[in-house]
Amino acid sequence: MERETWTNKFAFILASVGSAIGLGNIWLFSWRVGAYGGASFLIPYILFVFGIAAVGLMGEWAFGRSQRKGAIGAFENVFKSKNEKYKGFGAALGLIPVAAIYSIYIFYTIVIGWLIKYFFLAISGSFSTMDIPSYFGSFPGSSASISWHGAAIIINLVIVYFGVSKGIEKANKIIMPLFFGMLILLLFRSVTLDGAFEGFKYIFMPDWSKITMSETWVMALGQAFFTLSLGGATMLVYGSYAKDETSIPSAALQTVTFNFLASLLAAFVIIPAVFAFNLDPNAGPGLLFITIPNIVNQMPGGLLFGSVFFLSVVFAAVSSSISMLEPAVEGFMDKTRISRTKTVLLLSVLAFVIGLPLDLNMSLFGKWVDITTVYVLPFGALVSAFVFFWIYGASKAREEINKGDGFKFGKWFEFYSKYIFVPVAVLVLVLNIAFGGIG
Ligand code: TRP
C-alpha cells in the first residue's frame, strides 16, 4: 500500500502545531510563567524554543521524511545501511521512542478524561455547589474517572482510525481554528476583569532575582523540548508523511511561532484572571482543576468562561494525544502488515487496559508520569537526534532539511546540530534526572 501523505504543507504544519499545542502550553507553561517570574521565564524560553528545540523539530521531521518511515523503520534503515548485521539493533532502538510516547499517551488520555469531566461540570454550573479542592483530591484516582478515560480513548481511536489525511489532518483542521477562536474569546473576558492589569505586569516585567536562578533556565529548556513534542517518534512520523517539496525550515518557523502564540494566549487568559481574584499563580497541578474553577465561581460570565475554557483545553489535548498514538500505530502496521483498523483497535484497548490501574491509584499514576517523562521521553529525543545527526550524518541531515522549496541552512548548521544540539539533548536528559523532571 502506498504511504499516505498530508494533503499539503499547510495540513502538515497544522497537524504539527496540533501536536505541539497541548497541556504543555496551557497547564505547564502558565504554571512555569507563574513560578519563575513571568518575563524572566519567557526570555530563556524564547531562546531555547527558537534556537535549540527547533533544531530537534527539524531533525525529527527530516529523519522521518528521509526514510519514509516512523522511528522503528527509520532507525532500522540507518543502521542497516551501515551494516546488515545492525538492522535488528536499529529497529529495537527505534522502538524506545515509540514506546516512550505511547506510554505518555496512556497517562495523557487519563488527564483528557478528567478534562472532559470538568467540561461537563463547567457547563452544568456544578463548580458553584461543589467543594472544589476536595473534588480534585478524590475524583482522579477513583473508579468514577474510568468512563471519562474511556471516552478520551474512543475519541482518539476514531480520529486515528481514519488515518493521516482523513483522520489526523481533518481533525486538526477543525480543532485548531476553534481552539484559537475560543482562546481569543477567553482573552477578552480575562483582560477586562478588574485587577487584570497586575497579571499583565507580572508577565511582562522580569523578576531579576528569578532570571539569575539556574532553575529558571533549566525549566525553560525542558519546557522547550516538551512543547515541540520532541521525543523521537511523534514529529518523526509526522515528517514521514510530508512531501519532499515542503520546506522544513519554514514549516518549523511557523510551527514554533504558532505554538508560542498559543502559550502566550493561554498565559494571558489564565494569569490576569488569577491576579484579578488574588489567587496564587504558582498553584502547580491544581492550576487547571482548582484555581480555574475558583475563578469561574467568582467571575461575571463564569459559566461561559469555564465551559469554553475546558473545551479549549480538551481540544488542545486531543490534537496532541492523537500524535502520541500515531507513532505506535504506524510502527505496528509497518512491522506486522496488519490493517490500520485492527491496529488502532488493539493499541486503543491496550492503552486503556494499561491505564486502568493508573485510573485507580494516583501514586502509581505519578510514578508512571515521572518514569515516562523524566527518563524515557528525553532519552528518545536524544537517541533520535544522535542517530540522525551523527550516524545518518550531519551533512546528509542538512541536505534533507534543505530539500524543500525555501530557506536553506548553510554549512554551519552541520556543526550546530552535531556539536550544540545533540549535547544539549544530553543535557536535557541529565537535568531531567537531576531535577526529577523539567518538562
Ligand atoms: N507538545 C505537547 C504538549 O505540550 C505534548 C506532546 C504531544 C508530546 N506529543 C508529544 C510530548 C510527543 C512529547 C512527545 O502538551
Side-chain angles (χ1 to χ4, degrees):
M1 218 175 65
E2 204 181 316
R3 194 175 185 79
E4 276 196 87
T5 59
W6 307 109
T7 313
N8 51 38
K9 181 184 173 197
F10 178 69
F12 164 56
I13 293 173
L14 209 58
S16 301
V17 169
S19 171
I21 299 177
L23 294 171
N25 302 61
I26 301 175
W27 184 2
L28 218 61
F29 183 80
S30 301
W31 164 9
R32 298 299 191 219
V33 167
Y36 296 101
S40 40
F41 180 78
L42 281 179
I43 295 166
Y45 174 81
I46 292 172
L47 280 175
F48 289 146
V49 82
F50 282 91
I52 302 279
V55 176
L57 174 65
M58 292 186 281
E60 288 197 16
W61 278 343
F63 194 175
R65 189 173 67 179
S66 70
Q67 307 304 319
R68 293 276 166 222
K69 294 268 182 192
I72 301 172
F75 279 45
E76 181 179 66
N77 282 351
V78 168
F79 278 87
K80 194 172 98 185
S81 70
K82 299 286 160 191
N83 186 327
E84 188 64 38
K85 280 202 311 240
Y86 300 149
K87 188 177 154 199
F89 175 76
L93 202 62
L95 183 63
I96 296 175
V98 174
I101 287 163
Y102 183 66
S103 313
I104 292 189
Y105 177 73
I106 290 171
F107 82 73
Y108 213 86
T109 45
I110 293 177
V111 179
I112 296 177
W114 305 344
L115 289 165
I116 300 175
K117 172 71 184 176
Y118 272 68
F119 166 67
F120 282 104
L121 291 172
I123 51 170
S124 61
S126 306
F127 291 148
S128 59
T129 54
M130 66 193 223
D131 178 345
I132 294 166
S134 86
Y135 190 83
F136 184 56
S138 64
F139 171 71
S142 76
S143 57
S145 66
I146 293 178
S147 51
W148 302 97
H149 174 202
I153 292 275
I154 289 170
I155 296 171
N156 282 282
L157 183 158
V158 170
I159 298 172
V160 177
Y161 157 82
F162 283 105
V164 178
S165 57
K166 293 202 187 69
I168 299 175
E169 173 178 327
K170 198 142 179 219
N172 277 298
K173 278 194 175 143
I174 300 169
I175 289 178
M176 294 324 289
L178 284 174
F179 169 77
F180 276 99
M182 287 192 284
L183 231 54
I184 289 167
L185 194 75
L186 296 170
L187 184 73
F188 279 115
R189 174 64 283 198
S190 270
V191 300
T192 51
L193 290 167
D194 282 338
F197 188 67
E198 283 307 306
F200 276 117
K201 270 204 335 224
Y202 190 82
I203 299 175
F204 282 121
M205 306 263 285
D207 172 346
W208 297 111
S209 69
K210 299 235 163 92
I211 203 165
T212 50
M213 255 166 59
S214 56
E215 201 173 308
T216 306
W217 290 76
V218 168
M219 294 299 161
L221 180 61
Q223 166 85 27
F225 269 59
F226 188 79
T227 195
L228 293 189
S229 305
L230 301 190
T234 286
M235 291 305 189
L236 198 148
V237 83
Y238 274 18
S240 78
Y241 304 130
K243 295 191 159 81
D244 281 337
E245 65 265 23
T246 297
S247 161
I248 285 184
S250 109
L253 183 62
Q254 292 180 58
T255 302
V256 176
T257 304
F258 272 118
N259 177 61
F260 179 54
L261 269 178
S263 294
L264 275 185
L265 269 172
F268 276 113
V269 167
I270 295 172
I271 296 193
V274 167
F275 275 87
F277 298 107
N278 291 316
L279 298 165
D280 181 8
N282 186 15
L287 183 63
L288 288 189
F289 300 103
I290 298 174
T291 310
I292 295 287
N294 278 327
I295 289 171
V296 166
N297 281 343
Q298 297 177 54
M299 168 192 280
L303 192 81
L304 184 65
F305 182 91
S307 314
V308 174
F309 181 85
F310 281 103
L311 190 61
S312 68
V313 184
V314 169
F315 277 15
V318 168
S319 63
S320 293
S321 58
I322 52 180
S323 80
M324 300 171 178
L325 178 56
E326 178 61 20
V329 168
E330 187 275 350
F332 195 83
M333 280 166 65
D334 188 54
K335 281 284 156 233
T336 61
R337 303 274 144 203
I338 291 174
S339 70
R340 177 173 281 269
T341 309
K342 286 194 188 130
T343 303
V344 171
L345 271 174
L346 176 76
L347 292 177
S348 297
V349 171
L350 188 67
F352 182 61
V353 171
I354 299 176
L356 284 175
L358 311 180
D359 275 327
L360 299 173
N361 183 335
M362 273 302 101
S363 96
L364 203 63
F365 176 88
K367 286 198 185 93
W368 185 277
V369 173
D370 278 352
I371 292 171
T372 54
T373 59
V374 175
Y375 301 93
V376 205
L377 183 70
F379 184 74
L382 168 62
V383 159
S384 90
F386 182 77
V387 171
F388 192 52
F389 292 121
W390 280 79
I391 300 183
Y392 183 68
S395 131
K396 275 160 76 192
R398 176 169 75 99
E399 215 174 281
E400 181 65 41
I401 289 172
N402 282 344
K403 204 192 233 167
D405 319 319
F407 179 85
K408 308 227 184 300
F409 283 106
K411 193 135 180 77
W412 63 271
F413 187 82
E414 293 171 24
F415 178 87
Y416 192 73
S417 55
K418 209 170 160 181
Y419 296 104
I420 309 278
F421 180 72
V422 174
V424 172
V426 176
L427 191 66
V428 168
L429 174 63
V430 171
L431 290 171
N432 255 301
I433 296 170
F435 281 78
I438 60 172

mmCIF file of all heavy atoms in Angstrom, residues 139-176:
data_model
loop_
_atom_site.group_PDB
_atom_site.id
_atom_site.type_symbol
_atom_site.label_atom_id
_atom_site.label_comp_id
_atom_site.label_asym_id
_atom_site.label_seq_id
_atom_site.Cartn_x
_atom_site.Cartn_y
_atom_site.Cartn_z
ATOM 1 N N PHE A 139 -11.671 12.741 42.886
ATOM 2 C CA PHE A 139 -12.119 12.218 41.578
ATOM 3 C C PHE A 139 -11.003 11.497 40.814
ATOM 4 O O PHE A 139 -11.158 10.329 40.438
ATOM 5 C CB PHE A 139 -12.762 13.345 40.751
ATOM 6 C CG PHE A 139 -13.053 12.960 39.338
ATOM 7 C CD1 PHE A 139 -14.075 12.061 39.036
ATOM 8 C CD2 PHE A 139 -12.297 13.483 38.295
ATOM 9 C CE1 PHE A 139 -14.333 11.695 37.721
ATOM 10 C CE2 PHE A 139 -12.547 13.122 36.983
ATOM 11 C CZ PHE A 139 -13.575 12.228 36.693
ATOM 12 N N PRO A 140 -9.847 12.164 40.594
ATOM 13 C CA PRO A 140 -8.756 11.396 39.986
ATOM 14 C C PRO A 140 -8.324 10.321 40.974
ATOM 15 O O PRO A 140 -8.217 10.585 42.168
ATOM 16 C CB PRO A 140 -7.639 12.438 39.797
ATOM 17 C CG PRO A 140 -8.293 13.773 39.927
ATOM 18 C CD PRO A 140 -9.452 13.566 40.868
ATOM 19 N N GLY A 141 -8.091 9.154 40.495
ATOM 20 C CA GLY A 141 -7.720 8.076 41.409
ATOM 21 C C GLY A 141 -8.911 7.237 41.838
ATOM 22 O O GLY A 141 -8.760 6.273 42.573
ATOM 23 N N SER A 142 -10.098 7.609 41.359
ATOM 24 C CA SER A 142 -11.271 6.811 41.734
ATOM 25 C C SER A 142 -11.883 6.162 40.492
ATOM 26 O O SER A 142 -11.637 6.589 39.371
ATOM 27 C CB SER A 142 -12.320 7.702 42.400
ATOM 28 O OG SER A 142 -12.983 8.464 41.417
ATOM 29 N N SER A 143 -12.732 5.165 40.744
ATOM 30 C CA SER A 143 -13.322 4.447 39.613
ATOM 31 C C SER A 143 -14.257 5.367 38.809
ATOM 32 O O SER A 143 -14.554 5.084 37.649
ATOM 33 C CB SER A 143 -14.070 3.216 40.104
ATOM 34 O OG SER A 143 -15.055 3.612 41.036
ATOM 35 N N ALA A 144 -14.677 6.481 39.418
ATOM 36 C CA ALA A 144 -15.545 7.408 38.693
ATOM 37 C C ALA A 144 -14.840 8.008 37.472
ATOM 38 O O ALA A 144 -15.492 8.496 36.547
ATOM 39 C CB ALA A 144 -15.999 8.535 39.625
ATOM 40 N N SER A 145 -13.519 7.964 37.473
ATOM 41 C CA SER A 145 -12.793 8.580 36.351
ATOM 42 C C SER A 145 -12.678 7.641 35.146
ATOM 43 O O SER A 145 -12.345 8.075 34.044
ATOM 44 C CB SER A 145 -11.407 9.031 36.797
ATOM 45 O OG SER A 145 -10.609 7.911 37.124
ATOM 46 N N ILE A 146 -12.969 6.357 35.362
ATOM 47 C CA ILE A 146 -12.706 5.366 34.306
ATOM 48 C C ILE A 146 -13.521 5.606 33.030
ATOM 49 O O ILE A 146 -12.994 5.557 31.919
ATOM 50 C CB ILE A 146 -12.947 3.928 34.835
ATOM 51 C CG1 ILE A 146 -11.884 3.606 35.892
ATOM 52 C CG2 ILE A 146 -12.913 2.910 33.709
ATOM 53 C CD1 ILE A 146 -12.035 2.244 36.542
ATOM 54 N N SER A 147 -14.818 5.907 33.204
ATOM 55 C CA SER A 147 -15.628 6.076 32.000
ATOM 56 C C SER A 147 -15.165 7.297 31.196
ATOM 57 O O SER A 147 -15.218 7.292 29.956
ATOM 58 C CB SER A 147 -17.102 6.208 32.368
ATOM 59 O OG SER A 147 -17.252 7.187 33.361
ATOM 60 N N TRP A 148 -14.666 8.329 31.895
ATOM 61 C CA TRP A 148 -14.178 9.529 31.192
ATOM 62 C C TRP A 148 -12.888 9.230 30.454
ATOM 63 O O TRP A 148 -12.648 9.718 29.351
ATOM 64 C CB TRP A 148 -14.015 10.686 32.181
ATOM 65 C CG TRP A 148 -15.327 10.967 32.852
ATOM 66 C CD1 TRP A 148 -15.736 10.510 34.075
ATOM 67 C CD2 TRP A 148 -16.431 11.701 32.299
ATOM 68 N NE1 TRP A 148 -17.024 10.926 34.320
ATOM 69 C CE2 TRP A 148 -17.466 11.656 33.255
ATOM 70 C CE3 TRP A 148 -16.638 12.391 31.091
ATOM 71 C CZ2 TRP A 148 -18.708 12.281 33.041
ATOM 72 C CZ3 TRP A 148 -17.861 13.009 30.887
ATOM 73 C CH2 TRP A 148 -18.881 12.950 31.853
ATOM 74 N N HIS A 149 -12.064 8.411 31.081
ATOM 75 C CA HIS A 149 -10.845 7.925 30.443
ATOM 76 C C HIS A 149 -11.229 7.155 29.171
ATOM 77 O O HIS A 149 -10.644 7.363 28.098
ATOM 78 C CB HIS A 149 -10.113 7.037 31.463
ATOM 79 C CG HIS A 149 -8.909 6.326 30.936
ATOM 80 N ND1 HIS A 149 -8.402 5.197 31.533
ATOM 81 C CD2 HIS A 149 -8.121 6.558 29.861
ATOM 82 C CE1 HIS A 149 -7.348 4.777 30.851
ATOM 83 N NE2 HIS A 149 -7.156 5.583 29.827
ATOM 84 N N GLY A 150 -12.240 6.309 29.300
ATOM 85 C CA GLY A 150 -12.711 5.538 28.142
ATOM 86 C C GLY A 150 -13.176 6.456 27.018
ATOM 87 O O GLY A 150 -12.889 6.203 25.839
ATOM 88 N N ALA A 151 -13.873 7.534 27.380
ATOM 89 C CA ALA A 151 -14.340 8.475 26.358
ATOM 90 C C ALA A 151 -13.148 9.081 25.613
ATOM 91 O O ALA A 151 -13.160 9.202 24.382
ATOM 92 C CB ALA A 151 -15.172 9.584 27.014
ATOM 93 N N ALA A 152 -12.098 9.423 26.356
ATOM 94 C CA ALA A 152 -10.906 10.007 25.725
ATOM 95 C C ALA A 152 -10.256 9.016 24.771
ATOM 96 O O ALA A 152 -9.829 9.366 23.661
ATOM 97 C CB ALA A 152 -9.914 10.451 26.797
ATOM 98 N N ILE A 153 -10.214 7.755 25.184
ATOM 99 C CA ILE A 153 -9.627 6.713 24.331
ATOM 100 C C ILE A 153 -10.442 6.578 23.032
ATOM 101 O O ILE A 153 -9.887 6.457 21.934
ATOM 102 C CB ILE A 153 -9.592 5.354 25.091
ATOM 103 C CG1 ILE A 153 -8.599 5.407 26.255
ATOM 104 C CG2 ILE A 153 -9.328 4.189 24.147
ATOM 105 C CD1 ILE A 153 -7.164 5.101 25.919
ATOM 106 N N ILE A 154 -11.765 6.623 23.160
ATOM 107 C CA ILE A 154 -12.619 6.453 21.973
ATOM 108 C C ILE A 154 -12.456 7.624 20.998
ATOM 109 O O ILE A 154 -12.361 7.420 19.779
ATOM 110 C CB ILE A 154 -14.095 6.262 22.396
ATOM 111 C CG1 ILE A 154 -14.229 4.872 23.046
ATOM 112 C CG2 ILE A 154 -15.047 6.378 21.195
ATOM 113 C CD1 ILE A 154 -15.554 4.613 23.721
ATOM 114 N N ILE A 155 -12.371 8.831 21.508
ATOM 115 C CA ILE A 155 -12.168 9.992 20.623
ATOM 116 C C ILE A 155 -10.890 9.806 19.796
ATOM 117 O O ILE A 155 -10.870 9.984 18.576
ATOM 118 C CB ILE A 155 -12.093 11.304 21.446
ATOM 119 C CG1 ILE A 155 -13.431 11.571 22.146
ATOM 120 C CG2 ILE A 155 -11.690 12.484 20.557
ATOM 121 C CD1 ILE A 155 -13.386 12.724 23.147
ATOM 122 N N ASN A 156 -9.817 9.416 20.476
ATOM 123 C CA ASN A 156 -8.546 9.219 19.771
ATOM 124 C C ASN A 156 -8.623 8.066 18.774
ATOM 125 O O ASN A 156 -8.090 8.157 17.666
ATOM 126 C CB ASN A 156 -7.430 8.945 20.785
ATOM 127 C CG ASN A 156 -6.959 10.211 21.453
ATOM 128 O OD1 ASN A 156 -6.199 10.973 20.871
ATOM 129 N ND2 ASN A 156 -7.442 10.462 22.655
ATOM 130 N N LEU A 157 -9.290 7.014 19.201
ATOM 131 C CA LEU A 157 -9.447 5.839 18.344
ATOM 132 C C LEU A 157 -10.130 6.242 17.027
ATOM 133 O O LEU A 157 -9.668 5.900 15.937
ATOM 134 C CB LEU A 157 -10.286 4.806 19.097
ATOM 135 C CG LEU A 157 -10.575 3.438 18.502
ATOM 136 C CD1 LEU A 157 -10.914 2.474 19.636
ATOM 137 C CD2 LEU A 157 -11.683 3.407 17.492
ATOM 138 N N VAL A 158 -11.209 6.973 17.148
ATOM 139 C CA VAL A 158 -11.974 7.338 15.955
ATOM 140 C C VAL A 158 -11.122 8.186 15.007
ATOM 141 O O VAL A 158 -11.077 7.934 13.799
ATOM 142 C CB VAL A 158 -13.280 8.083 16.352
ATOM 143 C CG1 VAL A 158 -13.954 8.684 15.129
ATOM 144 C CG2 VAL A 158 -14.219 7.132 17.082
ATOM 145 N N ILE A 159 -10.415 9.160 15.559
ATOM 146 C CA ILE A 159 -9.624 10.042 14.688
ATOM 147 C C ILE A 159 -8.494 9.277 14.008
ATOM 148 O O ILE A 159 -8.312 9.350 12.789
ATOM 149 C CB ILE A 159 -9.065 11.248 15.485
ATOM 150 C CG1 ILE A 159 -10.208 12.104 16.043
ATOM 151 C CG2 ILE A 159 -8.142 12.091 14.597
ATOM 152 C CD1 ILE A 159 -9.772 13.200 16.997
ATOM 153 N N VAL A 160 -7.746 8.514 14.788
ATOM 154 C CA VAL A 160 -6.567 7.842 14.228
ATOM 155 C C VAL A 160 -6.977 6.702 13.286
ATOM 156 O O VAL A 160 -6.284 6.406 12.318
ATOM 157 C CB VAL A 160 -5.608 7.376 15.357
ATOM 158 C CG1 VAL A 160 -4.423 6.610 14.799
ATOM 159 C CG2 VAL A 160 -5.112 8.597 16.146
ATOM 160 N N TYR A 161 -8.141 6.129 13.529
ATOM 161 C CA TYR A 161 -8.666 5.089 12.657
ATOM 162 C C TYR A 161 -8.803 5.584 11.212
ATOM 163 O O TYR A 161 -8.529 4.879 10.257
ATOM 164 C CB TYR A 161 -10.023 4.616 13.207
ATOM 165 C CG TYR A 161 -10.942 3.963 12.211
ATOM 166 C CD1 TYR A 161 -10.797 2.619 11.884
ATOM 167 C CD2 TYR A 161 -11.947 4.701 11.580
ATOM 168 C CE1 TYR A 161 -11.638 2.024 10.960
ATOM 169 C CE2 TYR A 161 -12.784 4.116 10.653
ATOM 170 C CZ TYR A 161 -12.636 2.784 10.338
ATOM 171 O OH TYR A 161 -13.452 2.201 9.424
ATOM 172 N N PHE A 162 -9.223 6.851 11.048
ATOM 173 C CA PHE A 162 -9.399 7.392 9.693
ATOM 174 C C PHE A 162 -8.090 7.727 8.988
ATOM 175 O O PHE A 162 -8.094 8.131 7.832
ATOM 176 C CB PHE A 162 -10.319 8.615 9.718
ATOM 177 C CG PHE A 162 -11.775 8.245 9.856
ATOM 178 C CD1 PHE A 162 -12.446 8.411 11.062
ATOM 179 C CD2 PHE A 162 -12.464 7.698 8.782
ATOM 180 C CE1 PHE A 162 -13.787 8.051 11.188
ATOM 181 C CE2 PHE A 162 -13.804 7.331 8.901
ATOM 182 C CZ PHE A 162 -14.474 7.506 10.108
ATOM 183 N N GLY A 163 -6.980 7.577 9.683
ATOM 184 C CA GLY A 163 -5.693 7.706 9.017
ATOM 185 C C GLY A 163 -5.132 9.113 8.994
ATOM 186 O O GLY A 163 -5.617 10.011 9.681
ATOM 187 N N VAL A 164 -4.115 9.304 8.152
ATOM 188 C CA VAL A 164 -3.336 10.543 8.183
ATOM 189 C C VAL A 164 -4.134 11.724 7.637
ATOM 190 O O VAL A 164 -4.365 12.706 8.348
ATOM 191 C CB VAL A 164 -2.018 10.361 7.390
ATOM 192 C CG1 VAL A 164 -1.208 11.649 7.364
ATOM 193 C CG2 VAL A 164 -1.201 9.234 8.005
ATOM 194 N N SER A 165 -4.567 11.645 6.382
ATOM 195 C CA SER A 165 -5.222 12.837 5.823
ATOM 196 C C SER A 165 -6.702 12.919 6.207
ATOM 197 O O SER A 165 -7.205 13.992 6.503
ATOM 198 C CB SER A 165 -5.038 12.898 4.308
ATOM 199 O OG SER A 165 -5.543 11.722 3.729
ATOM 200 N N LYS A 166 -7.375 11.779 6.238
ATOM 201 C CA LYS A 166 -8.815 11.828 6.561
ATOM 202 C C LYS A 166 -9.092 11.847 8.059
ATOM 203 O O LYS A 166 -10.198 12.151 8.489
ATOM 204 C CB LYS A 166 -9.531 10.627 5.925
ATOM 205 C CG LYS A 166 -9.546 10.675 4.416
ATOM 206 C CD LYS A 166 -10.684 9.824 3.878
ATOM 207 C CE LYS A 166 -10.642 9.714 2.372
ATOM 208 N NZ LYS A 166 -9.462 8.894 1.926
ATOM 209 N N GLY A 167 -8.116 11.488 8.848
ATOM 210 C CA GLY A 167 -8.306 11.454 10.296
ATOM 211 C C GLY A 167 -7.572 12.590 10.993
ATOM 212 O O GLY A 167 -8.163 13.595 11.383
ATOM 213 N N ILE A 168 -6.257 12.424 11.114
ATOM 214 C CA ILE A 168 -5.456 13.378 11.894
ATOM 215 C C ILE A 168 -5.511 14.783 11.287
ATOM 216 O O ILE A 168 -5.746 15.774 11.974
ATOM 217 C CB ILE A 168 -3.991 12.873 11.996
ATOM 218 C CG1 ILE A 168 -3.959 11.523 12.721
ATOM 219 C CG2 ILE A 168 -3.109 13.893 12.693
ATOM 220 C CD1 ILE A 168 -2.595 10.865 12.784
ATOM 221 N N GLU A 169 -5.319 14.825 9.963
ATOM 222 C CA GLU A 169 -5.315 16.135 9.295
ATOM 223 C C GLU A 169 -6.667 16.831 9.432
ATOM 224 O O GLU A 169 -6.762 18.011 9.783
ATOM 225 C CB GLU A 169 -4.956 15.923 7.823
ATOM 226 C CG GLU A 169 -5.075 17.168 6.974
ATOM 227 C CD GLU A 169 -4.659 16.917 5.523
ATOM 228 O OE1 GLU A 169 -3.746 16.087 5.279
ATOM 229 O OE2 GLU A 169 -5.236 17.559 4.635
ATOM 230 N N LYS A 170 -7.695 16.086 9.170
ATOM 231 C CA LYS A 170 -9.042 16.654 9.208
ATOM 232 C C LYS A 170 -9.409 17.122 10.620
ATOM 233 O O LYS A 170 -9.963 18.209 10.805
ATOM 234 C CB LYS A 170 -10.040 15.582 8.746
ATOM 235 C CG LYS A 170 -11.344 16.172 8.356
ATOM 236 C CD LYS A 170 -11.912 15.452 7.160
ATOM 237 C CE LYS A 170 -13.254 16.069 6.807
ATOM 238 N NZ LYS A 170 -14.190 15.031 6.406
ATOM 239 N N ALA A 171 -9.086 16.302 11.600
ATOM 240 C CA ALA A 171 -9.397 16.675 12.987
ATOM 241 C C ALA A 171 -8.694 17.978 13.349
ATOM 242 O O ALA A 171 -9.289 18.879 13.954
ATOM 243 C CB ALA A 171 -8.965 15.554 13.934
ATOM 244 N N ASN A 172 -7.433 18.099 12.947
ATOM 245 C CA ASN A 172 -6.702 19.323 13.273
ATOM 246 C C ASN A 172 -7.264 20.543 12.557
ATOM 247 O O ASN A 172 -7.239 21.653 13.086
ATOM 248 C CB ASN A 172 -5.215 19.158 12.956
ATOM 249 C CG ASN A 172 -4.481 18.451 14.085
ATOM 250 O OD1 ASN A 172 -4.420 18.950 15.200
ATOM 251 N ND2 ASN A 172 -3.959 17.268 13.810
ATOM 252 N N LYS A 173 -7.758 20.317 11.338
ATOM 253 C CA LYS A 173 -8.345 21.440 10.593
ATOM 254 C C LYS A 173 -9.585 21.973 11.287
ATOM 255 O O LYS A 173 -9.952 23.137 11.143
ATOM 256 C CB LYS A 173 -8.691 21.006 9.166
ATOM 257 C CG LYS A 173 -7.477 21.049 8.276
ATOM 258 C CD LYS A 173 -7.842 20.967 6.805
ATOM 259 C CE LYS A 173 -6.585 21.150 5.966
ATOM 260 N NZ LYS A 173 -6.585 20.305 4.774
ATOM 261 N N ILE A 174 -10.259 21.104 12.012
ATOM 262 C CA ILE A 174 -11.436 21.564 12.762
ATOM 263 C C ILE A 174 -11.021 22.097 14.131
ATOM 264 O O ILE A 174 -11.425 23.178 14.554
ATOM 265 C CB ILE A 174 -12.442 20.394 12.920
ATOM 266 C CG1 ILE A 174 -12.889 19.905 11.535
ATOM 267 C CG2 ILE A 174 -13.640 20.803 13.771
ATOM 268 C CD1 ILE A 174 -13.660 18.607 11.559
ATOM 269 N N ILE A 175 -10.173 21.324 14.795
ATOM 270 C CA ILE A 175 -9.825 21.656 16.183
ATOM 271 C C ILE A 175 -9.026 22.962 16.306
ATOM 272 O O ILE A 175 -9.333 23.801 17.143
ATOM 273 C CB ILE A 175 -9.007 20.494 16.815
ATOM 274 C CG1 ILE A 175 -9.909 19.282 17.065
ATOM 275 C CG2 ILE A 175 -8.343 20.940 18.102
ATOM 276 C CD1 ILE A 175 -9.184 18.080 17.651
ATOM 277 N N MET A 176 -8.001 23.121 15.480
ATOM 278 C CA MET A 176 -7.088 24.242 15.727
ATOM 279 C C MET A 176 -7.731 25.619 15.559
ATOM 280 O O MET A 176 -7.556 26.470 16.418
ATOM 281 C CB MET A 176 -5.795 24.101 14.889
ATOM 282 C CG MET A 176 -4.916 22.927 15.266
ATOM 283 S SD MET A 176 -4.846 22.522 17.028
ATOM 284 C CE MET A 176 -3.910 23.895 17.651
#
